[in-house]
Amino acid sequence: MKYTPCLITLGLLAAATSMPAWAADAEAPKPKPVDTIAQTPLSAAWAARIWLQDRGVTPSARIVVATGVNSDGYKGTGWSTAEHVDVGALIDTGKAFGVDGTMRVVFSDRFGNAVNDRSTGSYVQNQAFYGQGQNLRFNELSYERWLLDKRLSLKGGFYSMGNDFGGLPYTCNFNNNGQCGHPLGPIYSSGWLDNPTGQWGLRVKWADPSGWYAQTGIYDVVPMRKQAGSGFRVSDRGKTGLFLPVEVGYSHGNTAAHYGGTYKVGYYLDTSNADDIGNPAAPRASHRSGSYIQLAQRVLKPEGDTVRGVSVFGVATRADAKTGLMRYSWEAGLSWRGVVASREDDVLSLAWTRLDISDRLAQYQRITGKDVQSNEQFVELNYGVQVTPWLILRPAVQYVARPGAYDSRPDSWVFTLQAQATL
């Protein structure tokens, strides 16, 4: 099985942590961020890495292996395993080339299969690191520069616009892509792109020291880039339009001493022509649009100055009434970091997702005698174990109701295990 080498690799890397470092101990650790679990690469203290970092080049590499098995499925049951690998570098262009800024270069590869694709037929992927061509990809080549005392950011290049818009840190504590990643409503109802598929674009962001920010951008829409065999398609052949997102947000209390929170609202316009989802024979619509709201707030801490505690989050999206497959999508959940005081980087997480299919599509299906779609709901409970500073293991139990939003498909329990190694 193709995933076996990845599992063996993870085992060998774990063994390597007992070997002596190639260089002196790294610098004193920085304060931990509250809303994310910062990973320390396995190679952090290696002489070769330190040599590169001193010259402005910080290598990055990651391996993710996610396996799962389902109890029921309209296409059957069984094990499925998806793998993701990415390698790249973050370049301080001031150190490396004498011009201030940050350049990011990433290549990625995906292979294997997924429970939802092979068995259940759900929109929510049980293993988030699956899809978009399942092949080697030129993921990103971007350049960002901060101006005006680090208040104005300009970023351009070839990268996923979802890297900058619609993200919420707490939602990355899950194995499924209903929470891990970005809201599914825009992804299924417009030209919104998420990692690892790149696109040409430019983003402008204004960030105020008080925590407020606003950003907008312009990106090309080339649906063919997500297909198999298109991992290195950088031309605009097959371009259908332009994607124009706008986002305003506020973040406060980013230190362990505070009750931190993140709030954001966004709107997007995709100028691509699109079919009327309730009447494919009607003239095509001239655009697709939508909006979203995201929030996260720490609500409980066991003591004053700690990263441990409980945070809640919620997401709501609204797609174009005429063209959007998922008219509305909803997410709600919580993450409890440091359930056990001695393990403050372990996280217990619970979340619910609901995807509401367009009423216009359901009406069309009803009139034409097709199987009518309504909504799909998904729940995940997991516990992320920080095995080492560079390795996370996350077992999870998931439940999907009406996979694909069809009443005719059986509900299913899915058990998944994700291993993520930062090298």
Side-chain angles (χ1 to χ4, degrees):
M1 304 176 84
K2 195 170 183 180
Y3 62 85
T4 301
C6 287
L7 295 174
I8 294 174
T9 300
L10 290 176
L12 292 174
L13 291 172
T17 58
S18 62
M19 299 172 63
W22 294 6
D25 290 340
E27 298 178 357
K30 298 179 181 179
K32 292 182 177 181
V34 175
D35 56 1
T36 57
I37 309 296
Q39 305 301 299
T40 301
L42 170 64
S43 60
W46 292 6
R49 183 186 183 92
I50 294 173
W51 185 88
L52 286 171
Q53 290 177 167
D54 288 343
R55 288 154 180 79
V57 180
T58 301
S60 65
R62 179 176 58 166
I63 298 174
V64 182
V65 180
T67 189
V69 62
N70 63 301
S71 65
D72 299 277
Y74 85 109
K75 292 192 289 186
T77 62
W79 287 93
S80 299
T81 300
E83 298 88 15
H84 171 97
V85 178
D86 59 56
V87 295
L90 190 68
I91 303 170
D92 181 335
T93 56
K95 285 185 177 181
F97 309 120
V99 178
D100 289 343
T102 302
M103 181 180 293
R104 183 173 173 82
V105 183
V106 181
F107 293 87
S108 61
D109 192 11
R110 288 185 172 183
F111 41 94
N113 46 60
V115 171
N116 65 295
D117 187 48
R118 293 185 63 183
S119 303
T120 66
S122 66
Y123 284 113
V124 178
Q125 296 169 198
N126 306 89
Q127 298 117 299
F129 291 87
Y130 175 82
Q132 300 193 51
Q134 293 297 104
N135 54 268
L136 181 65
R137 286 193 170 277
F138 172 46
N139 184 315
E140 179 173 353
L141 175 60
S142 66
Y143 172 74
E144 181 178 16
R145 181 165 183 176
W146 285 89
L147 304 168
L148 303 180
D149 196 25
K150 292 191 174 182
R151 295 186 180 217
L152 176 65
S153 166
L154 302 177
K155 180 179 179 181
F158 186 81
Y159 65 100
S160 301
M161 54 81 53
N163 289 356
D164 293 324
F165 292 85
L168 201 60
Y170 290 107
T171 64
C172 289
N173 294 333
F174 295 87
N175 291 356
N176 76 85
N177 81 324
Q179 279 85 37
C180 182
H182 297 82
L184 293 186
I187 293 176
Y188 279 102
S189 303
S190 72
W192 183 296
L193 271 186
D194 204 354
N195 194 285
T197 302
Q199 59 197 135
W200 292 105
L202 174 67
R203 187 218 64 192
V204 180
K205 179 177 182 179
W206 178 266
D208 188 85
S210 65
W212 286 96
Y213 75 88
Q215 60 179 353
T216 186
I218 181 169
Y219 302 86
D220 67 358
V221 180
V222 183
M224 295 173 62
R225 290 199 185 117
K226 294 202 296 186
Q227 299 175 0
S230 297
F232 287 83
R233 183 184 294 276
V234 296
S235 74
D236 66 354
R237 187 166 65 88
K239 176 181 171 183
T240 60
L242 295 173
F243 196 92
L244 308 167
V246 178
E247 184 177 281
V248 178
Y250 174 67
S251 179
H252 70 94
N254 295 322
T255 69
H258 301 95
Y259 283 82
T262 300
Y263 306 86
K264 58 181 67 177
V265 295
Y267 171 84
Y268 60 86
L269 173 68
D270 178 356
T271 65
S272 305
N273 293 336
D275 290 335
D276 183 333
I277 200 161
N279 183 8
R284 304 191 80 199
S286 62
H287 68 276
R288 297 178 286 184
S289 63
S291 56
Y292 57 90
I293 299 175
Q294 298 176 299
L295 58 91
Q297 178 64 52
R298 174 146 291 195
V299 295
L300 179 66
K301 294 194 301 178
E303 56 214 29
D305 189 4
T306 179
V307 294
R308 297 177 57 225
V310 178
S311 298
V312 296
F313 63 86
V315 180
T317 75
R318 181 176 182 272
D320 193 278
K322 193 173 184 179
T323 64
L325 170 64
M326 295 177 183
R327 177 65 167 141
Y328 300 101
S329 71
W330 316 87
E331 301 173 36
L334 61 85
S335 286
W336 184 356
R337 179 172 179 175
V339 178
V340 179
S342 61
R343 299 195 58 81
E344 65 178 20
D345 289 338
D346 288 358
V347 183
L348 176 69
S349 300
L350 172 67
W352 161 83
T353 299
R354 173 170 168 150
L355 308 174
D356 287 340
I357 300 300
S358 166
D359 288 340
R360 290 174 62 86
L361 175 60
Q363 180 65 18
Y364 173 76
Q365 292 169 334
R366 193 173 294 109
I367 292 172
T368 56
K370 297 181 179 179
D371 200 357
V372 178
Q373 293 175 275
S374 56
N375 66 75
E376 174 180 303
Q377 298 193 52
F378 193 102
V379 177
E380 176 175 315
L381 173 66
N382 72 60
Y383 188 80
V385 183
Q386 188 74 36
V387 181
T388 71
W390 55 269
L391 177 63
I392 296 176
L393 293 179
R394 185 183 294 121
V397 57
Q398 305 167 347
Y399 184 79
V400 56
R402 291 179 298 279
Y406 290 105
D407 289 332
S408 58
R409 295 180 181 177
D411 298 354
S412 182
W413 289 96
V414 183
F415 303 91
T416 64
L417 174 63
Q418 177 177 295
Q420 183 169 169
T422 303
L423 310 179

Short mmCIF file of all heavy atoms in Angstrom, two decimals, residues 267-290:
data_model
loop_
_atom_site.label_atom_id
_atom_site.label_comp_id
_atom_site.label_asym_id
_atom_site.label_seq_id
_atom_site.Cartn_x
_atom_site.Cartn_y
_atom_site.Cartn_z
N TYR A 267 -16.81 39.26 2.10
CA TYR A 267 -17.68 39.23 0.93
C TYR A 267 -16.81 38.89 -0.26
O TYR A 267 -15.63 39.28 -0.32
CB TYR A 267 -18.36 40.59 0.73
CG TYR A 267 -19.12 40.70 -0.59
CD1 TYR A 267 -20.42 40.22 -0.71
CD2 TYR A 267 -18.51 41.28 -1.70
CE1 TYR A 267 -21.10 40.31 -1.92
CE2 TYR A 267 -19.18 41.37 -2.91
CZ TYR A 267 -20.48 40.89 -3.02
OH TYR A 267 -21.15 40.97 -4.22
N TYR A 268 -17.37 38.16 -1.22
CA TYR A 268 -16.61 37.84 -2.43
C TYR A 268 -17.49 37.95 -3.67
O TYR A 268 -18.70 37.74 -3.63
CB TYR A 268 -16.00 36.44 -2.34
CG TYR A 268 -17.01 35.32 -2.19
CD1 TYR A 268 -17.63 34.73 -3.29
CD2 TYR A 268 -17.36 34.86 -0.91
CE1 TYR A 268 -18.55 33.71 -3.14
CE2 TYR A 268 -18.29 33.84 -0.75
CZ TYR A 268 -18.88 33.27 -1.86
OH TYR A 268 -19.80 32.27 -1.71
N LEU A 269 -16.85 38.30 -4.78
CA LEU A 269 -17.51 38.37 -6.08
C LEU A 269 -16.65 37.61 -7.07
O LEU A 269 -15.46 37.87 -7.22
CB LEU A 269 -17.66 39.82 -6.53
CG LEU A 269 -18.20 40.03 -7.96
CD1 LEU A 269 -19.65 39.58 -8.05
CD2 LEU A 269 -18.06 41.49 -8.39
N ASP A 270 -17.25 36.62 -7.72
CA ASP A 270 -16.59 35.84 -8.77
C ASP A 270 -17.25 36.23 -10.08
O ASP A 270 -18.46 36.02 -10.27
CB ASP A 270 -16.79 34.35 -8.47
CG ASP A 270 -16.17 33.44 -9.54
OD1 ASP A 270 -15.66 33.96 -10.54
OD2 ASP A 270 -16.22 32.21 -9.36
N THR A 271 -16.49 36.82 -11.01
CA THR A 271 -17.07 37.32 -12.26
C THR A 271 -17.30 36.22 -13.29
O THR A 271 -17.72 36.51 -14.41
CB THR A 271 -16.16 38.40 -12.88
OG1 THR A 271 -14.90 37.82 -13.27
CG2 THR A 271 -15.91 39.54 -11.88
N SER A 272 -17.04 34.97 -12.95
CA SER A 272 -17.27 33.87 -13.87
C SER A 272 -18.76 33.68 -14.16
O SER A 272 -19.60 33.82 -13.26
CB SER A 272 -16.73 32.55 -13.29
OG SER A 272 -15.37 32.67 -12.93
N ASN A 273 -19.09 33.37 -15.41
CA ASN A 273 -20.46 33.00 -15.74
C ASN A 273 -20.78 31.67 -15.07
O ASN A 273 -19.92 30.81 -14.91
CB ASN A 273 -20.65 32.86 -17.25
CG ASN A 273 -20.52 34.19 -17.96
OD1 ASN A 273 -20.73 35.25 -17.37
ND2 ASN A 273 -20.17 34.15 -19.24
N ALA A 274 -22.03 31.49 -14.66
CA ALA A 274 -22.41 30.27 -13.95
C ALA A 274 -23.84 29.88 -14.29
O ALA A 274 -24.69 30.74 -14.56
CB ALA A 274 -22.27 30.47 -12.44
N ASP A 275 -24.11 28.58 -14.26
CA ASP A 275 -25.46 28.08 -14.54
C ASP A 275 -26.41 28.46 -13.42
O ASP A 275 -26.04 28.52 -12.25
CB ASP A 275 -25.44 26.55 -14.68
CG ASP A 275 -24.73 26.09 -15.95
OD1 ASP A 275 -24.69 26.88 -16.91
OD2 ASP A 275 -24.23 24.95 -15.96
N ASP A 276 -27.66 28.69 -13.80
CA ASP A 276 -28.74 28.84 -12.83
C ASP A 276 -28.99 27.46 -12.23
O ASP A 276 -29.39 26.53 -12.92
CB ASP A 276 -29.99 29.35 -13.54
CG ASP A 276 -31.15 29.60 -12.58
OD1 ASP A 276 -31.21 28.95 -11.52
OD2 ASP A 276 -32.00 30.44 -12.88
N ILE A 277 -28.72 27.31 -10.94
CA ILE A 277 -28.76 25.99 -10.32
C ILE A 277 -30.17 25.41 -10.28
O ILE A 277 -30.35 24.20 -10.17
CB ILE A 277 -28.14 26.04 -8.91
CG1 ILE A 277 -27.73 24.64 -8.47
CG2 ILE A 277 -29.10 26.70 -7.91
CD1 ILE A 277 -26.74 24.64 -7.35
N GLY A 278 -31.17 26.27 -10.42
CA GLY A 278 -32.55 25.80 -10.43
C GLY A 278 -33.13 25.60 -11.80
O GLY A 278 -34.24 25.09 -11.95
N ASN A 279 -32.38 26.00 -12.84
CA ASN A 279 -32.86 25.88 -14.21
C ASN A 279 -31.67 25.91 -15.16
O ASN A 279 -31.31 26.98 -15.70
CB ASN A 279 -33.84 27.00 -14.56
CG ASN A 279 -34.42 26.86 -15.95
OD1 ASN A 279 -34.20 25.86 -16.64
ND2 ASN A 279 -35.15 27.88 -16.40
N PRO A 280 -31.01 24.78 -15.40
CA PRO A 280 -29.82 24.74 -16.25
C PRO A 280 -30.06 25.26 -17.67
O PRO A 280 -29.11 25.65 -18.36
CB PRO A 280 -29.45 23.25 -16.26
CG PRO A 280 -30.04 22.70 -15.01
CD PRO A 280 -31.31 23.47 -14.81
N ALA A 281 -31.31 25.27 -18.13
CA ALA A 281 -31.60 25.73 -19.48
C ALA A 281 -31.71 27.25 -19.57
O ALA A 281 -31.74 27.81 -20.66
CB ALA A 281 -32.91 25.10 -19.96
N ALA A 282 -31.76 27.93 -18.43
CA ALA A 282 -31.89 29.39 -18.42
C ALA A 282 -30.56 30.04 -18.81
O ALA A 282 -29.50 29.40 -18.75
CB ALA A 282 -32.32 29.85 -17.03
N PRO A 283 -30.58 31.30 -19.23
CA PRO A 283 -29.33 32.01 -19.54
C PRO A 283 -28.40 31.98 -18.33
O PRO A 283 -28.85 32.07 -17.18
CB PRO A 283 -29.80 33.43 -19.85
CG PRO A 283 -31.22 33.27 -20.29
CD PRO A 283 -31.77 32.14 -19.47
N ARG A 284 -27.12 31.87 -18.59
CA ARG A 284 -26.15 31.78 -17.51
C ARG A 284 -26.04 33.11 -16.76
O ARG A 284 -26.14 34.18 -17.35
CB ARG A 284 -24.77 31.37 -18.03
CG ARG A 284 -24.77 30.08 -18.83
CD ARG A 284 -23.35 29.62 -19.09
NE ARG A 284 -22.79 28.95 -17.92
CZ ARG A 284 -21.47 28.78 -17.73
NH1 ARG A 284 -20.61 29.24 -18.60
NH2 ARG A 284 -21.04 28.15 -16.66
N ALA A 285 -25.85 33.01 -15.46
CA ALA A 285 -25.65 34.21 -14.64
C ALA A 285 -24.28 34.81 -14.93
O ALA A 285 -23.33 34.09 -15.27
CB ALA A 285 -25.77 33.86 -13.16
N SER A 286 -24.16 36.12 -14.78
CA SER A 286 -22.92 36.81 -15.13
C SER A 286 -21.90 36.82 -14.00
O SER A 286 -20.77 37.26 -14.20
CB SER A 286 -23.24 38.26 -15.52
OG SER A 286 -23.83 38.96 -14.42
N HIS A 287 -22.27 36.31 -12.82
CA HIS A 287 -21.34 36.32 -11.70
C HIS A 287 -21.87 35.41 -10.58
O HIS A 287 -23.00 34.93 -10.63
CB HIS A 287 -21.17 37.74 -11.15
CG HIS A 287 -22.42 38.27 -10.50
ND1 HIS A 287 -23.44 38.86 -11.21
CD2 HIS A 287 -22.81 38.28 -9.20
CE1 HIS A 287 -24.41 39.20 -10.38
NE2 HIS A 287 -24.06 38.87 -9.15
N ARG A 288 -21.01 35.21 -9.58
CA ARG A 288 -21.38 34.51 -8.36
C ARG A 288 -20.86 35.34 -7.19
O ARG A 288 -19.77 35.90 -7.26
CB ARG A 288 -20.76 33.11 -8.33
CG ARG A 288 -21.24 32.20 -9.43
CD ARG A 288 -20.57 30.84 -9.39
NE ARG A 288 -19.18 30.89 -9.84
CZ ARG A 288 -18.41 29.81 -9.98
NH1 ARG A 288 -18.88 28.61 -9.68
NH2 ARG A 288 -17.17 29.94 -10.41
N SER A 289 -21.63 35.40 -6.11
CA SER A 289 -21.19 36.19 -4.97
C SER A 289 -21.62 35.51 -3.68
O SER A 289 -22.42 34.56 -3.69
CB SER A 289 -21.76 37.61 -5.03
OG SER A 289 -23.18 37.58 -4.96
N GLY A 290 -21.10 36.00 -2.57
CA GLY A 290 -21.45 35.42 -1.29
C GLY A 290 -20.78 36.17 -0.15
O GLY A 290 -20.03 37.13 -0.36
#
